[in-house]
Amino acid sequence: MSNTESLSGKVALITGASRGIGKEIAMELSKLGAEVFINYSSSDEKAEEVVNSIKNNGGKAHKLKFDVSKEDSVSSAFDKIIKINGSIDILVNNAGITRDGLLMRMKSEQWDEVLNTNLKGVFLCTKYASKFMMKKRSGNIVNISSVVGIIGNPGQANYSAAKAGVIGFTKTCAKEFASRGINVNAIAPGFIETEMTEKLNTEEIVKAIPLKRLGSCSQIANLVSFLVSSNAGSYITGQTISIDGGMSI
């Protein structure tokens, strides 16, 4: 089997895939032959652009609007995926938001919004995807955590807590699902060139990165594809792989 056919016949759901890291992951998995579902929460136009881009390159893609933090919404979305394809093989939990602020000034709403999307959303999507993966006795789940879930970051108590929670969740799921042939791993990106980092003072950030540069969305996508499509990646589970230019050393 050639590399470009390594995910042929597989079905993948990528949450938060209308832009940034999620978009790049969806594009990469489709290049490897997977049929991808593009989850998004607000921008129908951007999701449509990703779907069209994939189709124009000969791939298969669908857009799927749902709120990862609401169980009814997640349940309904998985019903649609199964109705179209009958199964799901790959889940990439990428959807995430920020509501930054120093802890003393942080409102409960800011805490809840971030925890609900960034952690509860991972729980809900994994819960529903794993049902079908367990029946097949195979599957791959990749959770996008963050370097701040490992080292913390002032002004991001909610985000750091959620991303650290994703790491603990990943380890537990890996142990629970291993006997059913399901691998579960987390990726902890550092500062990656996206719309989110465009608003930051990157000169100061780069000083704290040993490699002295930001990462790219394609580097994250390549790591995801390694974990879900390569034989070498098939013996990796329960791990959190930092891809941060050395920030968490």
Side-chain angles (χ1 to χ4, degrees):
M1 183 179 287
S2 70
N3 190 44
T4 53
E5 297 174 335
S6 60
L7 292 179
S8 180
K10 302 287 187 183
V11 178
L13 167 65
I14 303 94
T15 67
S18 65
R19 60 182 182 170
I21 291 171
K23 174 183 176 180
E24 199 70 32
I25 292 168
M27 300 284 285
E28 181 64 23
L29 297 189
S30 73
K31 285 177 192 172
L32 295 173
E35 183 168 350
V36 297
F37 283 81
I38 309 299
N39 158 258
Y40 66 104
S41 61
S42 57
S43 181
D44 188 80
E45 187 180 344
K46 286 187 176 180
E48 187 70 29
E49 285 175 8
V50 180
V51 168
N52 288 337
S53 181
I54 288 170
K55 287 181 175 178
N56 290 340
N57 285 310
K60 294 180 180 178
H62 314 266
K63 62 181 182 180
L64 194 55
K65 184 177 183 178
F66 68 93
D67 186 340
V68 298
S69 70
K70 293 184 167 54
E71 187 157 12
D72 288 349
S73 184
V74 173
S75 175
S76 176
F78 276 92
D79 285 344
K80 288 175 185 173
I81 293 171
I82 300 306
K83 189 175 181 180
I84 294 170
N85 289 95
S87 70
I88 180 166
D89 304 285
I90 298 162
L91 169 65
V92 182
N93 284 307
N94 169 73
I97 61 170
T98 56
R99 298 289 185 269
D100 295 351
L102 292 174
L103 183 65
M104 294 299 291
R105 298 191 193 115
M106 186 173 288
K107 296 176 181 176
S108 292
E109 292 80 15
Q110 290 174 294
W111 177 271
D112 291 343
E113 277 186 74
V114 170
L115 269 289
N116 284 340
T117 297
N118 298 13
L119 184 55
K120 185 181 178 184
V122 174
F123 154 67
L124 288 173
C125 291
T126 301
K127 176 183 173 181
Y128 282 89
S130 63
K131 282 186 189 179
F132 303 102
M133 292 178 179
M134 283 186 174
K135 287 177 186 174
K136 293 183 70 172
R137 302 189 76 87
S138 69
N140 258 294
I141 299 170
V142 179
N143 300 321
I144 306 300
S145 180
S146 169
V147 65
V148 304
I150 298 171
I151 65 174
N153 196 36
Q156 289 194 309
N158 47 7
Y159 191 79
S160 299
K163 292 302 188 179
V166 166
I167 292 171
F169 178 80
T170 297
K171 293 175 187 290
T172 295
C173 288
K175 289 183 175 181
E176 289 189 11
F177 300 159
S179 63
R180 300 299 184 96
I182 303 167
N183 289 31
V184 190
N185 289 290
I187 292 173
F191 284 92
I192 307 299
E193 290 178 352
T194 65
E195 288 178 26
M196 283 174 118
T197 55
E198 280 177 7
K199 304 167 189 173
L200 304 175
N201 181 350
T202 53
E203 283 185 24
E204 286 302 310
I205 291 167
V206 165
K207 288 177 184 177
I209 302 172
L211 288 183
K212 302 302 178 191
R213 65 180 187 271
L214 301 186
S216 69
C217 292
S218 62
Q219 289 168 327
I220 309 300
N222 287 335
L223 180 52
V224 172
S225 68
F226 170 78
L227 290 171
V228 304
S229 70
S230 72
N231 184 53
S234 67
Y235 198 55
I236 300 172
T237 196
Q239 302 305 303
T240 300
I241 304 172
S242 295
I243 178 165
D244 60 11
M247 269 193 82
S248 56
I249 294 172

